C-alpha cells in the first residue's frame, strides 16, 4: 500500500532507536522508498550500517555533507512524502517546537511542508515534564501528528508512560495519511463494506465445512478502495491487520450479523465472500466419536442469503455480488443477478486453476442490472479490484 511512496524516517537519541530497524522493514515490505536521517546521538543506539542495510539507502546525519549543489535539508524536505520522527526525544521535540535547526533532522523538519508524525519515547518524568507537554502541544496545534507513548516497562527500569507506541500504530498512521492526503477525489470517506473468505460452518469442536476461498479477492478490493480514499470495513474469515476497520467472523450467521451492523451507513457493499449455502443443523458440542457404522449422516439447513436480504433492504447503497461458476458462466451470472437483485454481479470461472479461488490472479466479467457486461482479462487480484472499483464507483 506504500508502493513508490517516499518515507523519510528521523531517528533521535533514545534507546527505542533500535525498534526503528523493524519499522524500516515494514515500510520496505510495502515497497516504500525509505531514507533515514539520524541525529548524531541516535547513532549511539543503533549503527549506521544496520540502518543502511535495512533501508537500502545511505543514512544522512550531517547537514554539510552535500553530494550535489542542493542543500541536503531542503532536498529531503522537497523529495519526501512524509516525515516520521521516531523515537522523538524530549530534546528534539523541544527544538522543533522552538524552531531550532541545529542538525540535519531538525533543519529538515523546519523546512518540511508535508505531514510529520512524531512518536515520542522517553522516561516518564521527562515525558510528564510540563515543558515537554507544552512543546508537544505546540507541535500538535500546528498540525504534527503526535502518537502518544504507551505505559509499560521502560529501559530505565521503571514502569510508566514513555514507551514508544506500537510500531503498527506508526505504520498504520503513515498509510492513513498518505492515502488520505490526496483528498481531491469524490470518493473520500464513502463507506464500503467488503466481505472476504469462505465461511466456516462447525460440525463439532474439531471439524467444520468450508471452501477454498482465501479471502484475497475481498482483501484486494478493500485495500484498493482504501487507497482511493474510501472508508472500507472488511468483514473476513481470514483475519489480517489493516489500517482500516477489519471484523473477523467465522460462520455465515456471524457474517450476516456483522454486515447488517455496517449496512445502514454503507455507500457500497461488495460480497466477495464465499458464503456456505448450508450449515450443520445440530452442531455437536462434543467431538463426534467414530462409531461402528460406515456412514455418518449430517443434516444440513439452509443459511440465510445475505446478499439477497441486503438487496431487498437497500436504500441508497450500491450492492455488488460475486458469483463463482464452474459452467455456463454468463447465463448463470445473469440469472443470479436477477434473482439476488443486486446492482452488479461479478462472475468468475472457478473451473480454472489459474484464477479465482486461492489464486493471486483473477479474470472476471462484471454484469450490471441494465444488461451491460465488461470482461476484465486475467491479471493480479489488486489490478482486478482497481478495475472493478472503477466500474462500480462510476
Ligand atoms: O477468496 P479468494 O480465494 O480470493 O477467491 C475469490 C472468490 C472466487 C471466492 C470470489 O471471487 C467469489 O467468486 N466469491 C463468491 C463466491 C460465492 O459464494 O458465489 P455464489 O455464487 O455461491 O454466491 C453468490 C453471491 O451471493 C456472493 O456474492 C455470495 O457472497 C453471496 N451469498 C451466497 C450465499 C449466501 N448464503 N449468502 C450470500 O450472501
Amino acid at each position: 500500500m506504500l508502493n513508490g511512496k517516499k518515507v523519510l524516517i528521523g531517528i533521535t537519541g533514545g534507546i527505542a532507536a533500535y525498534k526503528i530497524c523493524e519499522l524500516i522493514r515494514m515500510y520496505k515490505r510495502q515497497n516504500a522508498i525509505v531514507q533515514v536521517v539520524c541525529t548524531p546521538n541516535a547513532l549511539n543506539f543503533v549503527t549506521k550500517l544496520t540502518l543502511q542495510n535495512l533501508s537500502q539507502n545511505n543514512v544522512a546525519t550531517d547537514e554539510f555533507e552535500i553530494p550535489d549543489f542542493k542543500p541536503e535539508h531542503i532536498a529531503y524536505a522537497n523529495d519526501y512524502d512524509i516525515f516520521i520522527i521516531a523515537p522523538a526525544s524530549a530534546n528534539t521535540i523541544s527544538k522543533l517546537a522552538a524552531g531550532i535547526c541545529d542538525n540535519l533532522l531538525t533543519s529538515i523538519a523546519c523546512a518540511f511542508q508535508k505531514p510529520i508524525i512524531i512518536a515520542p519515547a522517553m522516561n516518564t518524568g521527562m515525558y510528564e515534564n510540563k515543558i515537554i507537554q507544552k512543546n508537544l502541544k505546540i507541535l500538535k496545534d500546528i498540525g504534527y501528528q503526535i502518537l502518544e507513548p504507551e505505559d509499560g516497562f521502560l529501559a530505565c527500569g521503571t514502569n510508566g508512560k514513555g514507551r514508544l507506541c506500537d510500531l503498527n500504530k506508526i505504520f498504520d498512521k503513515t498509510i492513513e495519511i498518505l492515502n488520505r492526503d490526496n483528498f481531491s477525489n469524490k470518493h473520500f470517506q464513502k463507506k464500503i463494506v467488503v466481505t472476504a473468505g469462505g465461511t466456516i460452518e462447525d460440525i463439532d469442536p474439531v471439524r467444520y465445512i468450508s471452501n477454498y476461498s482465501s479471502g484475497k479477492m475481498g482483501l484486494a478490493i478493500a485495500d484498493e478502495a482504501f487507497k482511493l480514499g474510501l472508508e472500507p470495513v472488511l468483514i473476513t474469515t481470514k483475519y489480517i491487520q489493516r489500517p482500516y476497520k477489519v471484523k473477523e467472523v467465522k460462520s455465515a450467521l456471524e457474517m450476516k450479523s456483522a454486515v447488517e451492523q455496517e449496512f445502514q451507513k454503507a455507500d457500497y457493499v461488495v460480497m466477495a465472500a464465499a458464503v456456505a449455502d448450508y450449515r450443520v443443523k445440530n452442531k455437536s458440542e462434543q467431538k463426534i466419536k467414530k462409531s461402528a457404522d460406515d456412514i455418518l449422516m449430517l443434516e444440513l439447513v439452509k443459511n440465510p442469503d445475505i446478499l439477497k436480504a441486503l438487496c431487498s433492504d437497500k436504500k441508497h447503497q450500491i450492492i455488488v455480488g460475486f458469483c463463482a461458476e464452474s459452467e455456463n458462466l454468463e447465463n448463470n451470472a445473469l440469472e443470479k443477478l436477477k434473482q439476488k437483485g443486486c446492482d452488479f454481479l461479478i462472475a468468475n470461472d472457478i473451473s480454472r486453476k489459474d484464477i479465482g479461488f486461492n489464486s493471486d490472479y483473477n479474470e472476471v466479467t462484471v454484469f450490471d442490472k441494465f444488461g451491460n457486461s465488461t470482461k476484465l482479462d486475467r491479471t493480479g487480484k489488486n489490478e482486478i479490484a482497481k478495475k472493478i472499483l472503477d466500474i462500480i464507483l462510476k
Side-chain angles (χ1 to χ4, degrees), residues 73-266:
H73 61 293
I74 304 298
Y76 288 133
N78 288 341
D79 276 3
Y80 281 79
D81 299 315
I82 192 161
F83 192 13
I84 292 117
I85 304 178
S89 64
N91 185 35
T92 294
I93 287 167
S94 302
K95 285 181 189 174
L96 297 181
I100 293 170
C101 310
D102 64 345
N103 61 38
L104 180 59
L105 189 153
T106 51
S107 303
I108 295 171
C110 191
F112 208 81
Q113 291 181 341
K114 282 166 270 181
I116 300 185
I117 296 177
I118 302 273
M122 62 198 77
N123 154 277
T124 310
M126 292 171 89
Y127 182 68
E128 287 174 351
N129 182 305
K130 288 200 171 76
I131 296 170
I132 302 303
Q133 284 303 314
K134 200 170 141 208
N135 289 339
L136 277 168
K137 185 166 182 314
I138 292 173
L139 297 181
K140 191 172 174 202
D141 289 346
I142 58 169
Y144 285 39
Q145 284 284 337
I146 313 291
L147 296 178
E148 274 199 35
E150 294 172 358
D151 267 309
F153 185 62
L154 302 174
C156 48
T158 57
N159 271 301
K161 194 163 185 171
R163 277 167 65 94
L164 183 73
C165 68
D166 190 323
L167 295 182
N168 285 312
K169 270 195 190 153
I170 306 177
F171 181 74
D172 289 353
K173 185 54 86 182
T174 310
I175 293 184
E176 185 190 312
I177 291 173
L178 287 179
N179 285 289
R180 268 133 218 269
D181 220 35
N182 308 315
F183 288 161
S184 54
N185 74 69
K186 57 184 180 298
H187 311 306
F188 176 57
Q189 281 190 340
K190 294 257 184 203
K191 178 168 169 174
I192 182 167
V193 176
V194 184
T195 64
T199 63
I200 296 165
E201 312 297 332
D202 282 343
I203 297 172
D204 68 12
V206 291
R207 304 175 182 102
Y208 60 84
I209 299 172
S210 190
N211 57 65
Y212 292 113
S213 168
S214 61
K216 288 177 187 172
M217 191 64 247
L219 177 65
I221 292 172
D223 280 353
E224 294 303 326
F226 183 71
K227 288 184 201 165
L228 288 175
L230 284 104
E231 211 171 82
V233 177
L234 177 66
I235 298 171
T236 177
T237 59
K238 314 274 178 188
Y239 185 74
I240 185 155
Q241 197 165 22
R242 278 297 187 264
Y244 50 79
K245 189 166 170 187
V246 180
K247 283 184 163 180
E248 188 183 7
V249 293
K250 201 170 150 189
S251 62
L253 291 180
E254 280 180 28
M255 184 169 278
K256 179 175 187 285
S257 118
V259 172
E260 282 171 356
Q261 279 169 28
E262 303 292 339
F263 184 61
Q264 293 311 324
K265 291 195 175 145

Side-chain angles (χ1 to χ4, degrees), residues 18 57 70 134 157 173 198 237 269 282 323 362 386:
Y18 79 93
N57 210 342
K70 291 186 272 186
K134 200 170 141 208
K173 185 54 86 182
T237 59
V269 179
N282 295 312
C323 76
N362 215 352
K386 274 188 213 165

Side-chain angles (χ1 to χ4, degrees), residues 195-198 211-218 252 271-277 303-308 320-325 336 340 345-346 348 350 356-359 362 364 381:
T195 64
N211 57 65
Y212 292 113
S213 168
S214 61
K216 288 177 187 172
M217 191 64 247
M271 290 286 301
V275 182
D277 287 322
N303 267 327
D305 190 324
I306 308 171
L307 178 61
K308 197 168 173 185
V320 183
F322 264 79
C323 76
E325 300 297 338
K336 214 168 256 181
K340 304 254 186 189
L345 193 79
I346 297 159
N348 35 209
I350 52 155
F357 275 108
N358 201 16
S359 167
N362 215 352
V364 300
K381 280 185 174 162

